[in-house]
Amino acid sequence: KGPRWFAFPARQWAHAFGITAVLALAFFAGRFTRRTDPPVVAQNSPEVARERILLITVADHLDRSQLMLLELINADTSEGLDLDRERAAGLVADNRLFRQAASREGDAATVAILNDLERVLMEVENAPEDWTGDDLDDLRSAIENKELIFKVRVLGAHSRERGIRPQRDSATTAI
């Protein structure tokens, strides 16, 4: 004779029936409960969106500028000096626009850092072809004395953070 499936003890049948009942109840509860609409994300005004885009763009500009400053600090002068004047010229033009925007917003700290950065970038842009290692050393000391790399890094991180996480209204965050 073969095994008899229906010959399980009553206790096992009760467990199987209980599990089946719970699954069926969960299924039908999910099917017939009222669905809620997804939460509505607050629409940003065009001004807020523009400011966020500007902050992210400034952060990218500062990252590119920081990379150029690091290249200047770590440049090997034994093989001759190869300056990327075109890249420096592009950074100077972008820097002027961002500095003017910060000035319009009344952000004096950002304006000061961008002024210092612009001076260094203009020196690279306008450097003569016969720039020597001593000239580069003077530029390196100016960068290090002003702690320009650190300031650019902090300002870039701060701009990126403000651009990614919009500032909330004080009315909605007040407890």
Side-chain angles (χ1 to χ4, degrees):
K1 288 186 174 183
R4 297 175 69 193
W5 295 105
F6 58 88
F8 287 121
R11 179 177 243 161
Q12 288 179 342
W13 280 110
H15 284 261
F17 179 73
I19 291 172
T20 304
V22 168
L23 288 174
L25 183 64
F27 173 77
F28 286 112
R31 293 287 289 162
F32 295 114
T33 56
R34 185 176 296 196
R35 293 183 183 172
T36 60
D37 292 333
V40 177
V41 177
Q43 295 292 328
N44 288 334
S45 67
E47 294 82 23
V48 172
R50 234 185 331 264
E51 180 183 355
R52 290 181 68 193
I53 291 170
L54 177 65
L55 288 170
I56 296 293
T57 307
V58 167
D60 290 341
H61 164 72
L62 292 171
D63 288 343
R64 291 190 318 267
S65 298
Q66 177 185 342
L67 187 63
M68 177 164 257
L69 293 175
L70 288 171
E71 289 173 2
L72 288 171
I73 292 291
N74 297 315
D76 183 17
T77 58
S78 63
E79 298 175 2
L81 199 55
D82 183 29
L83 296 175
D84 194 353
R85 289 173 182 82
E86 289 179 23
R87 186 171 67 155
L91 289 172
V92 167
D94 293 344
N95 198 73
R96 283 184 182 147
L97 292 173
F98 297 136
R99 183 176 43 82
Q100 290 170 356
S103 179
R104 278 192 306 267
E105 295 294 320
D107 190 353
T110 300
V111 170
I113 294 170
L114 292 176
N115 270 334
D116 290 342
L117 178 60
E118 188 174 330
R119 286 187 196 111
V120 170
L121 293 173
M122 285 180 65
E123 281 191 49
V124 174
E125 176 188 12
N126 298 319
E129 290 294 326
D130 59 344
W131 227 36
T132 64
D134 292 335
D135 296 328
L136 181 61
D137 289 338
D138 291 342
L139 186 60
R140 284 177 180 159
S141 65
I143 292 170
E144 290 170 356
N145 289 341
K146 292 179 183 181
E147 298 177 337
L148 194 55
I149 294 175
F150 174 74
K151 290 176 183 177
V152 166
R153 182 175 294 157
V154 169
L155 181 60
H158 182 67
S159 296
R160 189 172 308 283
E161 182 70 25
R162 283 179 36 207
I164 292 172
R165 291 196 178 94
Q167 297 186 4
R168 298 182 178 156
D169 292 339
S170 58
T172 60
T173 58
I175 296 176

